[in-house]
Amino acid sequence: HLWSGSSQSHRMKPATHARGIPRQKSWPSLGQHLTGKVYSSIEEYVKEKGGKRVIERILIANNGIAAVKGIRSMQKWAYETFGDEKVLKFIVMATPDDIKVNAEYIHLANEVVNVPGGSNNNNYANVSLIVDIAQRLKADAVWAGWGHASENPTLPDALTLHNTTSKHQIVWIGPGSSAMRALGDKVGSSLIAQTAGVPCIGWSGSGLTIDKKDFNNIPKEVYQKACVQDSKSALEICRRVGFPVMIKASEGGGGKGIRMCHSEDDVATLYSQVVGEVPGSPVFIMRLAPTCRHLEVQLLGDEWGNAIAVHGRDCSIQRRHQKIIEEGPVVAAKPKIWREMEQSAVNLARAVGYVGAGTVEYLYTQDHKYYFLELNPRLQVEHPVTELISGVNLPAAQLQIAMGLPLSSIPHIRRFFGKNSEGTTAINFDRTLPVTQPKHVIACRITAENPDSEFQPTSGTIFHLNFRSTPDVWGYFSVSSNGGVHQFADSQFGHLFATGKTRENARRNMVQALKELTIQGEIRTTVEYLSQILETPDFVENQVSTTWLEGVIKNKVISDMGKLPLHIVVTLGSLYRAWTASKAAETAYMDSLSRGQVPPMSSMQQIVETKHTLIYHLTKYLTVVTRSGPRHYDIQLADTNWNASIEVHELADKGLLAMLDGKRHIVYGREQPDGLRLSVNSKTYMFSREYDPTRLIAEMQGKLVRYTVEDGGHVRKSKAYAEMEVMKMYIALVAPEDGKLVHCKPEGSVLEGGDLIARLELDDPSSVQTSETFMGTFPKVGPPQPLGNKPTAMLEDSVTKLKRLLDGYKLGAGRLEATVARLMDSLRNPLLPSYQFRSILSTIASKLPA
């Protein structure tokens, strides 16, 4: 099953001018211009730069934004170097899920191979499948990006085995398997760092050391001593290390296989969740530094024994132990200490002969001490932060290193160290400082997560996505409008990067970009929440830590930032429900007529008047909405004299332009299992359903992994009763009240949003907090648009409303009398004829002779 993105043979050379130089191809999306020498072929380039092998056909063993970024970066390098981005051919793997959601990376590929759907064990993490595809399609190299199989040493091992029996060699774009096992393994890298004298925080392997000759082959008995074997030993180690702790899977990453634990009661449950998320992975425990930063050093190493640090990043703002905002260069650490951290990272890479891109992560405490955390033997999703600061195209650097080029021959690296980019002379990296630019970069991950529900992943269709790049903000997405995020995908589908001469400049540029980013669909996103985070005083003053965001979420510091007044929110919520109900009733009415049926008068009533109950923050609001015209609605707060008039226009993307109290609002809504999600001016408001703790329903798509409470067992409030797998993450489902659990779905069931998982027989039903009906009133609001006090405007408005009434529409309570009174007042106004004359004259004045 092979799709070809081009009818050209993959060995065909690009079109050339008469002089043999490749014809330049346009690159509108990147806006790059050629600099330096233009090479006629990859072979010429590799030979001149002192490389070892030519790579033209690359298998991208990944999907999503990793595949998009990898392909675009290498195409960008190819265009800059050869004048033709098509000298490289990209082969991608596509599941039915990725094809269905119109994944962006598929459009960028030359060849697409169909692979099974489902979890990544069936596709992007399946080593045998990846190697088989690389063999069959004659790939020259395999690039795995991040996640999936990118840190699995059996993949480079399998490629090496293939190369021993085949004439066609396939290169692994990444570190060798021995270095990957040594430093990519979180347990192994901690043992090596500990032995090399790099400070390490207290962990399950504290005090253990190994001989330096064993760095690439750590003794099994030492390794096992550093690991946790079961929940019983986990509890013992937690007591020894001291709470709070992190329980981590050595092969985890990206927020997967990691849990924070504060008490002995939670150790067994959290340990099982870690084991379940990363099956077969060794598990270790480390002490949690309560107030620290997460700083990381970007590494590059080549086949010639060179290793360098390419700046670093501050990734302290995290949720669910996964980064959400990154920035660079690092300004939190003192310059002298930061240089020590960079040198320690380089020494670790050299000690094991590290080749390719990697990242050393540190914890940096308030007393200016740093502790080794781990080394990721792959590219990080946030690597564009480093690219924008340094000017080094990291995926392209990975490719050139895989071609066997020394670091000192790679043009971007030479430019980074202030050397002639076209040269090939050796560089003493230990004695040469990089060239720094007055620039700061802030990055925000765009994820399909619900910030109102502890950032739980969501999936579904994206109806509309609109992002406009500017000179100061760049971004990329793995999907586009009419695409989507499926349940087996990573929750991140976009990444934005803002630059500025200072951190404050970059922050303001990012805030503006987030406010202008529009994403409408079935998913929830973090866009709105990110902009609010960036405007908090702590972030502005750079007073954050790895646990800072958790405190913000717990204390709801930013939950109401920039929100509309309560009465406006309730009014617009009523409008949306009335508009959808009226449209549905109108469609049903017309369908009946088209079939020759006479609809009952009651169906006409549903078009012009509806009653609604909205629950917002545990308060119930009762409203009556009348349709007073084709685009006009009157909203009345039930049993009060308060009312509001709204003018509404339907937008092309199914949103509403609502004019209320002289102001315009852009409104989108979606009914969900848990209630109405309303987006007004890019701010999200949730109207919940009546609280019913006896029904435990799924809030999203996923798989029910297991129950943690037996059928008929008792569960306490806020304690987990089951675990659900959502988008490669294990989510604990907690009981809303105390009671007896009755299972309704078997373990292993595939769940849709709204499915009933279990029932809860409450211990004390009388203790359940229910919504209370609002008994007050709202502030007075004006008309949709200001009318002024001219008698002509008042007359026209009154006549228009009365004509609508004759057309079958209905005015809200008390509005008929007020409209007739205003009509009569305007007719009695002696200035009316004068204003009418002026109005007519103004339209023909330009046609009259001077």
Side-chain angles (χ1 to χ4, degrees):
H1 297 88
L2 175 66
W3 300 353
S4 177
S6 169
S7 60
Q8 278 190 314
S9 165
H10 67 265
R11 295 299 180 190
M12 187 178 292
K13 292 184 179 180
T16 60
H17 295 296
R19 293 173 295 175
I21 299 176
R23 183 178 295 121
Q24 296 184 18
K25 302 295 179 72
S26 62
W27 197 263
S29 61
L30 293 176
Q32 295 294 324
H33 300 283
L34 297 176
T35 57
K37 181 177 179 179
V38 180
Y39 294 84
S40 62
S41 68
I42 296 178
E43 184 176 358
E44 177 196 0
Y45 179 82
V46 172
K47 183 177 180 181
E48 183 169 317
K49 296 296 184 181
K52 299 179 180 180
R53 61 192 71 88
V54 172
I55 295 175
E56 293 178 340
R57 291 174 56 79
I58 303 166
L59 172 62
I60 304 295
N62 211 309
N63 64 341
I65 63 171
V68 171
K69 179 57 170 64
I71 294 173
R72 283 183 173 169
S73 291
M74 286 185 264
Q75 284 181 334
K76 177 182 177 184
W77 168 78
Y79 183 75
E80 291 175 342
T81 307
F82 307 103
D84 183 1
E85 70 276 12
K86 292 183 174 61
V87 297
L88 297 175
K89 304 297 180 185
F90 295 97
I91 307 160
V92 302
M93 305 159 62
T95 68
D97 307 289
D98 286 316
I99 295 170
K100 182 178 180 181
V101 299
N102 195 27
E104 182 70 15
Y105 77 97
I106 295 174
H107 296 267
L108 301 175
N110 300 96
E111 299 169 32
V112 180
V113 182
N114 291 331
V115 295
S119 66
N120 66 355
N121 292 329
N122 300 321
N123 36 71
Y124 308 106
N126 189 317
V127 171
S128 298
L129 178 64
I130 293 169
V131 175
D132 177 66
I133 293 171
Q135 292 172 344
R136 288 191 288 113
L137 274 72
K138 301 298 182 183
D140 297 324
V142 174
W143 184 86
W146 52 86
H148 298 310
S150 62
E151 296 183 73
N152 189 344
T154 61
L155 179 52
D157 277 344
L159 293 174
T160 300
L161 180 62
H162 160 81
N163 293 340
T164 60
T165 59
S166 174
K167 291 183 179 180
H168 180 73
Q169 302 290 287
I170 305 174
V171 179
W172 166 244
I173 302 180
S177 60
S178 59
M180 191 181 289
R181 285 188 174 92
L183 285 180
D185 180 278
K186 294 176 174 60
V187 174
S189 61
S190 295
L191 289 170
I192 293 173
Q194 201 164 256
T195 301
V198 180
C200 294
I201 203 163
W203 67 299
S204 51
S206 291
L208 297 174
T209 58
I210 54 178
D211 196 294
K212 291 185 178 181
K213 64 180 177 61
D214 294 327
F215 275 5
N216 285 322
N217 188 20
I218 298 174
K220 185 176 181 180
E221 61 275 12
V222 178
Y223 188 95
Q224 291 296 328
K225 286 182 180 179
C227 296
V228 180
Q229 307 304 324
D230 50 40
S231 58
K232 182 178 179 181
S233 62
L235 180 58
E236 294 173 356
I237 292 171
C238 287
R239 288 169 175 167
R240 171 162 56 86
V241 172
F243 290 97
V245 300
M246 299 297 290
I247 304 174
K248 303 178 69 174
S250 182
E251 297 172 7
K256 188 176 180 182
I258 179 171
R259 291 293 187 275
M260 182 189 303
C261 183
H262 290 274
S263 69
E264 295 185 2
D265 294 340
D266 298 328
V267 171
T269 298
L270 297 176
Y271 172 80
S272 68
Q273 290 178 5
V274 170
V275 172
E277 282 187 356
V278 192
S281 170
V283 176
F284 68 104
I285 292 172
M286 62 177 289
R287 181 170 175 78
L288 175 67
T291 306
C292 64
R293 287 181 180 264
H294 179 120
L295 308 182
E296 57 189 37
V297 176
Q298 177 66 60
L299 288 175
L300 282 175
D302 62 21
E303 297 179 14
W304 304 83
N306 300 306
I308 61 171
V310 188
H311 287 308
R313 302 176 287 263
D314 188 333
C315 307
S316 300
I317 297 183
Q318 306 176 7
R319 84 280 180 263
R320 287 206 328 265
H321 324 301
Q322 189 174 11
K323 305 160 190 172
I324 188 170
I325 296 175
E326 306 97 356
E327 59 181 293
V330 172
V331 295
K334 293 182 177 180
K336 180 180 179 181
I337 297 176
W338 178 247
R339 285 193 293 271
E340 290 179 11
M341 296 166 73
E342 287 184 318
Q343 191 59 52
S344 294
V346 169
N347 292 343
L348 279 176
R350 288 175 179 166
V352 296
Y354 192 87
V355 176
T359 306
V360 172
E361 299 183 351
Y362 295 100
L363 296 177
Y364 188 79
T365 59
Q366 288 181 313
D367 56 356
H368 304 293
K369 293 180 180 179
Y370 64 93
Y371 300 96
F372 176 82
L373 184 60
E374 64 187 45
L375 186 146
N376 290 301
R378 55 172 170 80
L379 208 56
Q380 299 275 79
V381 64
E382 65 271 17
H383 72 272
V385 171
T386 294
E387 290 181 320
L388 291 168
I389 298 169
S390 65
V392 177
N393 183 331
L394 290 174
Q398 285 182 297
L399 175 61
Q400 293 170 85
I401 290 169
M403 291 177 177
L405 271 68
L407 289 174
S408 56
S409 292
I410 298 175
H412 286 176
I413 300 296
R414 294 187 63 83
R415 192 181 304 123
F416 176 59
F417 282 96
K419 305 296 183 181
N420 176 12
S421 62
E422 293 304 315
T424 57
T425 56
I427 300 174
N428 186 335
F429 293 113
D430 287 335
R431 294 179 177 273
T432 307
L433 294 176
V435 176
T436 59
Q437 300 291 337
K439 179 186 284 188
H440 198 90
V441 178
I442 293 177
C444 288
R445 301 189 186 194
I446 308 302
T447 59
E449 296 177 328
N450 183 357
D452 296 327
S453 186
E454 298 181 351
F455 291 92
Q456 289 186 354
T458 64
S459 60
T461 302
I462 294 175
F463 306 132
H464 180 67
L465 191 158
N466 184 25
F467 168 71
R468 294 172 290 276
S469 291
T470 69
D472 298 316
V473 183
W474 169 77
Y476 67 105
F477 295 83
S478 62
V479 296
S480 57
S481 296
N482 301 315
V485 181
H486 59 80
Q487 61 177 314
F488 299 107
D490 188 274
S491 63
Q492 185 179 358
F493 65 95
H495 217 159
L496 300 189
F497 303 85
T499 62
K501 288 186 177 181
T502 66
R503 183 177 183 272
E504 178 60 14
N505 292 150
R507 186 193 69 83
R508 292 187 180 188
N509 290 336
M510 178 59 81
V511 170
Q512 188 63 31
L514 289 169
K515 289 181 177 180
E516 294 178 356
L517 173 62
T518 303
I519 302 173
Q520 297 296 336
E522 296 174 340
I523 63 171
R524 290 291 305 274
T525 75
T526 53
V527 173
E528 175 187 339
Y529 202 83
L530 288 168
S531 66
Q532 293 174 330
I533 289 174
L534 294 176
E535 293 188 287
T536 59
D538 284 346
F539 187 89
V540 173
E541 297 169 9
N542 202 14
Q543 300 296 316
V544 298
S545 68
T546 55
T547 56
W548 173 79
L549 185 56
E550 292 178 5
V552 169
I553 296 170
K554 182 179 180 180
N555 298 322
K556 299 182 179 180
V557 173
I558 62 177
S559 60
D560 293 324
M561 287 179 61
K563 296 286 187 178
L564 290 169
L566 173 64
H567 68 286
I568 300 296
V569 174
V570 173
T571 302
L572 293 174
S574 300
L575 167 71
Y576 181 82
R577 280 200 166 150
W579 178 80
T580 53
S582 181
K583 293 287 285 187
E586 186 176 336
T587 300
Y589 190 91
M590 297 305 294
D591 287 345
S592 295
L593 291 177
S594 67
R595 293 194 298 268
Q597 300 173 350
V598 179
M601 285 302 297
S602 59
S603 60
M604 177 62 76
Q605 180 66 20
Q606 294 173 8
I607 296 176
V608 297
E609 184 173 88
T610 50
K611 296 181 179 181
H612 303 279
T613 299
L614 296 99
I615 300 175
Y616 188 65
H617 292 175
L618 288 178
T619 301
K620 186 183 300 181
Y621 300 91
L622 308 178
T623 59
V624 179
V625 183
T626 54
R627 191 171 177 183
S628 56
R631 294 185 298 273
H632 293 77
Y633 290 80
D634 292 338
I635 287 88
Q636 179 186 9
L637 193 60
D639 300 323
T640 72
N641 294 324
W642 186 90
N643 55 65
S645 292
I646 302 179
E647 180 182 334
V648 60
H649 299 265
E650 184 176 359
L651 303 176
D653 60 359
K654 305 303 181 184
L656 301 178
L657 170 61
M659 302 298 297
L660 170 62
D661 198 21
K663 297 181 176 63
R664 76 106 181 104
H665 303 282
I666 305 298
V667 182
Y668 296 89
R670 180 171 179 77
E671 294 288 353
Q672 301 180 156
D674 55 345
L676 170 65
R677 170 161 59 97
L678 196 72
S679 172
V680 183
N681 306 332
S682 299
K683 300 289 184 183
T684 301
Y685 306 86
M686 281 300 304
F687 293 95
S688 61
R689 301 194 187 282
E690 191 67 73
Y691 179 52
D692 183 5
T694 65
R695 291 172 50 84
L696 306 178
I697 64 172
E699 295 182 4
M700 67 208 84
Q701 285 182 323
K703 177 183 177 182
L704 180 60
V705 178
R706 70 184 185 104
Y707 286 101
T708 56
V709 177
E710 63 182 1
D711 192 14
H714 189 270
V715 62
R716 302 288 296 178
K717 182 179 180 178
S718 301
K719 294 296 182 181
Y721 68 87
E723 291 175 2
M724 185 176 175
E725 184 179 7
V726 182
M727 300 173 76
K728 303 187 295 183
M729 296 291 295
Y730 272 49
I731 304 295
L733 305 179
V734 300
E737 304 288 344
D738 296 345
K740 176 184 173 182
L741 189 72
V742 179
H743 298 179
C744 296
K745 289 282 187 181
E747 293 180 345
S749 296
V750 176
L751 303 174
E752 297 291 332
D755 284 356
L756 180 66
I757 301 173
R759 293 187 181 276
L760 191 63
E761 297 178 2
L762 303 178
D763 289 351
D764 182 10
S766 64
S767 66
V768 175
Q769 183 181 7
T770 58
S771 59
E772 296 184 0
T773 302
F774 180 70
M775 302 303 293
T777 188
F778 288 153
K780 184 179 179 180
V781 297
Q785 300 184 47
L787 289 175
N789 55 6
K790 292 182 179 179
T792 47
M794 296 175 64
L795 176 65
E796 182 181 358
D797 178 68
S798 301
V799 171
T800 299
K801 288 180 178 179
L802 293 174
K803 284 183 176 180
R804 291 179 195 149
L805 188 63
L806 296 176
D807 287 338
Y809 294 102
K810 182 178 180 180
L811 294 176
R815 290 192 178 273
L816 175 58
E817 295 81 358
T819 301
V820 172
R822 189 164 58 249
L823 171 68
M824 300 310 295
D825 287 344
S826 60
L827 289 173
R828 295 189 185 104
N829 192 318
L831 297 178
L832 177 62
S834 174
Y835 276 102
Q836 288 178 320
F837 176 77
R838 292 178 188 177
S839 176
I840 296 172
L841 184 63
S842 67
T843 62
I844 63 174
S846 61
K847 299 178 182 179
L848 296 177

